[in-house]
Amino acid sequence: MFELTIAVNFEAAHCIRNYPGKCNRLHGHNWKVEVNIYGSQLNDLGMLVDFVDLKAAINGIMVNLDHYYLNEIEPFCRINPTAENLAKYIYEELAKTPIFNENVKLRSIRIWESSNSAAAYSQEA
C-alpha cells in the first residue's frame, strides 16, 4: 500500500458559538491542513497521484476558506467552525474531486489550529 501526505496552510478567523470561554470571541488561526491518501497501484510514471494534482485539488477548497470569517460561510453559519467540523468539511469536499477512484482513496484530513492542537477526520473505523 502506498500513502501520500501533503500539507497546505490558510488563515481564517472564527468564533465558537456558546463556548464557555475565550474562544467564543472572534479570533484567528494560521491553520495547517494535512491531506493523507492511499492506494495500491502506481500509474505509468510510478506515482500514486501527482503531488501537483493533489495540491491543486486541495487548493480549490482552501480558496473558499483563506482569509474569511468562517462563521459567515456555509456550512459554518449553521454549525460551529471547530477544528473537527473543518476537518470533516474539507474531507467531504475533497472526496468529491476526480482524483479519487477505485485505486486512490482519501484516508484522512488533519487540521492544526496551532502547533500543539489538531483534529482529524476520516471515514475509517
Side-chain angles (χ1 to χ4, degrees):
M1 193 64 60
F2 298 95
E3 189 172 305
L4 298 179
T5 301
I6 63 162
V8 296
N9 298 291
F10 73 99
E11 297 173 358
H14 72 155
C15 66
I16 307 301
R17 295 175 206 88
N18 302 313
Y19 182 79
K22 64 183 182 178
C23 291
N24 70 350
R25 296 191 301 265
L26 176 64
H27 64 284
H29 297 284
N30 294 323
W31 304 89
K32 177 182 177 181
V33 178
E34 293 177 10
V35 177
N36 185 264
I37 69 172
Y38 68 100
S40 59
Q41 298 292 320
L42 301 181
N43 66 21
D44 293 340
L45 297 173
M47 299 177 179
L48 181 64
V49 170
D50 190 329
F51 284 123
V52 170
D53 295 334
L54 186 55
K55 289 176 183 177
I58 191 64
N59 285 334
I61 298 164
M62 295 300 98
V63 72
N64 297 317
L65 301 174
D66 189 36
H67 282 81
Y68 280 95
Y69 176 39
L70 299 176
N71 294 65
E72 294 180 343
I73 61 174
E74 281 292 334
F76 306 112
C77 54
R78 295 179 285 107
I79 63 171
N80 266 328
T82 60
E84 294 88 343
N85 282 333
L86 278 163
K88 182 178 181 191
Y89 168 79
I90 294 167
Y91 182 103
E92 290 174 345
E93 292 300 305
L94 187 59
K96 296 175 188 176
T97 64
I99 282 182
F100 302 102
N101 54 49
E102 63 279 347
N103 179 53
V104 179
K105 307 289 184 196
L106 179 55
R107 173 155 292 157
S108 65
I109 296 292
R110 179 175 311 277
I111 184 163
W112 295 83
E113 68 174 31
S114 74
S115 60
N116 300 316
S117 303
Y121 180 81
S122 71
Q123 292 188 338
E124 300 172 1

